[in-house]
Amino acid sequence: MTEEATGATISAPGAGDHVEVEAPFYHEGAPQAFQRLWTPHRMVYIGGQNKPSDDTPAQCPFCTGPERDDEEALIVHRGQTSYVIMNLYPYNTGHLLVCPYRHISDWTEATAPERQEIGELTATAMSVVRSVSHPHGFNLGMNQGEVAGAGIAAHLHQHIVPRWKGDANFMPIIGRTKPVPQLLGEQRDMLAAAWSARTGQSGD
């Protein structure tokens, strides 16, 4: 099949008479790397469907999440001041977030107990993910403010992103696509079970 960059229909030799296949639409000026490989699950996030409409706790997914069941909310572990939840739009397989229950936006607003538990939960999360997925390393960090890249700037959250040497393969480099090979619910169940086994606490 001849590849076109117009979105017009093109002939598909060998597919039979009178058969036409629509070529992938390509907008003139768009980066070539984005022409053919897609991550449609991200469009929900990019389109703003699950983004809070304002900065209030009522609209905040990190405030409303703990009000739901752990499996539904993708919560892996509940602590005293903070909890661990799967990232709904992960950068990588096993991407976790550590969030305080309180609706605060800045690390300087966290109390000493919150800072201590966020640190402890981060360390435990790394150990649990290592036992389940065997990553070669991690990215840890907090984006403070929208200008710094925080998707939900109104509620403090720490990213825990497992990394493997094979991350830099052709999919993210050429296709600008990050494959996530396991469903989030399955990841949550595995991580919650491993967390429970490690700490002796229920992961449900």
Side-chain angles (χ1 to χ4, degrees), residues 76 128 131-133 182 185-195:
V76 173
V128 169
S131 71
V132 171
S133 303
Q182 189 178 41
E186 294 177 357
Q187 291 179 36
R188 190 222 75 91
D189 292 346
M190 292 176 63
L191 292 169
W195 198 298

Side-chain angles (χ1 to χ4, degrees), residues 73-161:
L74 298 176
I75 291 175
V76 173
H77 173 79
R78 295 176 186 256
Q80 295 298 312
T81 68
S82 306
Y83 69 97
V84 183
I85 188 171
M86 302 291 301
N87 189 333
L88 187 59
Y89 304 100
Y91 302 155
N92 224 344
T93 302
H95 183 170
L96 296 174
L97 303 172
V98 181
C99 308
Y101 293 114
R102 289 199 309 131
H103 189 68
I104 56 175
S105 62
D106 198 89
W107 185 241
T108 62
E109 300 176 58
T111 65
E114 286 170 335
R115 292 177 192 168
Q116 179 178 350
E117 186 167 38
I118 289 172
E120 292 173 349
L121 292 178
T122 297
T124 302
M126 291 174 64
S127 297
V128 169
V129 172
R130 280 193 176 116
S131 71
V132 171
S133 303
H134 311 290
H136 300 129
F138 291 87
N139 290 122
L140 306 176
M142 297 181 181
N143 300 322
Q144 298 282 261
E146 290 185 8
V147 70
I152 301 177
H155 197 122
L156 184 71
H157 53 283
Q158 162 101 309
H159 291 268
I160 304 168
V161 185

Side-chain angles (χ1 to χ4, degrees), residues 153-203:
H155 197 122
L156 184 71
H157 53 283
Q158 162 101 309
H159 291 268
I160 304 168
V161 185
R163 298 300 302 270
W164 289 265
K165 292 179 181 178
D167 283 350
N169 58 24
F170 81 98
M171 286 295 285
I173 293 175
I174 304 300
R176 302 296 190 268
T177 301
K178 174 65 71 172
V180 180
Q182 189 178 41
L183 295 175
L184 290 179
E186 294 177 357
Q187 291 179 36
R188 190 222 75 91
D189 292 346
M190 292 176 63
L191 292 169
W195 198 298
S196 177
R198 182 177 182 83
T199 63
Q201 299 178 9
S202 174

Side-chain angles (χ1 to χ4, degrees), residues 13-54:
D17 295 336
H18 311 296
V19 175
E20 292 187 334
V21 178
E22 185 174 353
F25 178 79
Y26 173 65
H27 187 276
E28 188 64 32
Q32 286 286 342
F34 288 89
Q35 184 176 354
R36 298 177 185 87
L37 294 180
W38 306 90
T39 51
H41 69 284
R42 295 278 308 173
M43 290 306 298
V44 175
Y45 177 77
I46 294 170
Q49 179 174 322
N50 290 335
K51 289 184 180 180
S53 58
D54 56 48

